[in-house]
Amino acid sequence: MDKAALRRQMIRRRLELSPAERERLSRAAQEAVIGSEPFRRAAVVLLYAAFRGEVATDRIMAAGKAMGKRLVLPRVVKGAPQLALHEYPGDPGALVISRFGVPEPDPAWPQVAPGEIDLVVVPGVAFDSAGWRLGYGAGYYDRTLPTIRQANPQAVLVGLAYGFQVVPALPVDPHDVPMDALATEAGLIWCKRG
């Protein structure tokens, strides 16, 4: 299956989940992150605000805030190749809806340098067990993740998804950045490559 067809299929499956099922699966996937060693160790966590049926991150945000972690959210900047990273004060009502319909931080919130990030919780349309990710196709994460990795080689990348979004294999492009682990309702799975 090509990337465009897989994107359509996975987004459709996400949107077909009932609200109760989405909540149940999201809760379990988030608990897999919250209970993980990378989350416990991280002082600064880059998350995302869910949209279009993505696994929610509200529980991870609440747990991070309760544990005194600095939370960071990404923002698309028109004309910029990478995501801007902003410290998130923890108020979901303060998020701004972008031109893509994505909840994002206010541009006035303080920016965070890529090297400060310890853990990145990454959204995706699909993942495979080797940690390769299929995004929406705009490439923002593909260009941002290498910057984080270069600035902090110890940063851990965790793909957050429903179990059905994990497929046997994905086509890989040279610019793709693999995840270190995947978190689904089944738990946290460390990725193996090669």
Side-chain angles (χ1 to χ4, degrees):
M1 183 179 296
D2 69 17
K3 286 185 174 185
L6 185 57
R7 275 190 193 100
R8 286 191 300 273
Q9 177 189 9
M10 289 296 172
I11 292 170
R12 185 183 71 246
R13 283 190 70 182
R14 280 191 336 213
L15 293 173
E16 287 172 349
L17 290 171
S18 70
E21 188 71 352
R22 183 177 296 129
E23 166 64 22
R24 183 182 73 77
L25 297 174
S26 275
R27 177 189 304 234
Q30 290 182 81
E31 290 301 328
V33 173
I34 294 165
S36 72
E37 184 64 26
F39 184 74
R40 283 194 294 273
R41 283 196 327 252
V44 183
V45 181
L46 172 59
L47 294 159
Y48 63 90
F51 91 121
R52 289 185 76 190
E54 291 174 332
V55 173
T57 56
D58 57 323
R59 291 177 176 280
I60 300 171
M61 290 178 186
K65 195 161 179 56
M67 295 167 76
K69 299 180 185 300
R70 289 174 62 205
L71 304 178
V72 180
L73 289 177
R75 181 175 64 87
V76 173
V77 179
K78 189 174 181 176
Q82 296 181 10
L83 295 164
L85 308 177
H86 293 270
E87 191 151 350
Y88 174 55
D91 176 11
L95 295 173
V96 177
I97 303 302
S98 77
R99 67 183 190 276
F100 302 113
V102 180
E104 291 185 335
D106 186 310
W109 294 349
Q111 287 205 32
V112 177
E116 295 180 64
I117 307 292
D118 300 310
L119 173 65
V120 185
V121 177
V122 185
V125 176
F127 297 90
D128 70 18
S129 59
W132 298 108
R133 171 185 172 271
L134 177 67
Y136 289 101
Y140 288 106
Y141 275 93
D142 294 328
R143 292 185 295 270
T144 304
L145 294 176
T147 304
I148 294 170
R149 266 277 158 78
Q150 185 174 18
N152 179 5
Q154 303 306 311
V156 177
L157 310 180
V158 176
L160 184 59
Y162 303 108
F164 66 77
Q165 291 178 267
V166 181
V167 299
L170 286 172
V172 179
D173 292 321
H175 62 266
D176 290 340
V177 177
M179 303 295 103
D180 297 305
L182 302 177
T184 73
E185 66 274 11
L188 189 81
I189 306 147
W190 288 95
C191 300
K192 295 184 174 100
R193 286 176 292 283

